[in-house]
Amino acid sequence: LTSPDGFSFLYHLSLADSFRKMEFIKIHNLEPPSGIEVLKRLLNKGLIEEFEDKDDKRAKRIKITEKGKKELQIVLPKMSEIFSLMTAELALNEKLHMLAFLKQMNDFHTRSNH
């Protein structure tokens, strides 16, 4: 995984069975060409797979592969360490405020995309 978007895509794909390709790109707030490039890199590395949507033959779905799950298991501890370093200087109440703010942003983003 060479980009934050690649990590984010793989992580979110690990949380669900599959996503529609364009829906997934929209969830990540990326322009379609940028999101498709990230997906192409993950596909080429065998970390995700693409297949037809049974409900909409025009749409493609994506899901994480076993190789992708293994890669994520390797990267997750490193990312946790990075996140810990990023917040190391924050007091507990600052961390709690940040979490509340991020949750509020996520909730707003989720509502606005439905």
Side-chain angles (χ1 to χ4, degrees), residues 52-109:
E52 286 192 17
D53 187 314
K54 66 179 179 173
D55 298 325
D56 182 353
K57 296 298 179 197
R58 299 167 296 163
K60 297 284 186 185
R61 296 190 74 83
I62 50 173
K63 70 178 186 177
I64 192 169
T65 61
E66 285 305 313
K67 182 178 179 182
K69 290 175 184 177
K70 288 176 185 173
E71 180 71 16
L72 196 56
Q73 287 176 348
I74 293 168
V75 174
L76 271 175
K78 295 174 186 175
M79 293 305 289
S80 293
E81 185 178 333
I82 289 168
F83 293 138
S84 292
L85 290 171
M86 289 171 57
T87 60
E89 298 298 317
L90 297 178
L92 179 60
N93 66 331
E94 292 170 323
K95 290 178 185 179
L96 293 173
H97 283 289
M98 184 174 72
L99 283 172
F101 178 68
L102 290 172
K103 182 184 180 325
Q104 185 179 17
M105 283 178 52
N106 184 60
D107 291 347
F108 174 77
H109 177 72

Side-chain angles (χ1 to χ4, degrees), residues 21-30 109 112-114:
K21 205 169 163 180
M22 296 312 292
E23 214 173 46
F24 191 69
I25 291 169
K26 186 178 178 184
I27 288 169
H28 284 85
N29 252 359
L30 289 175
H109 177 72
S112 67
N113 282 323
H114 286 97

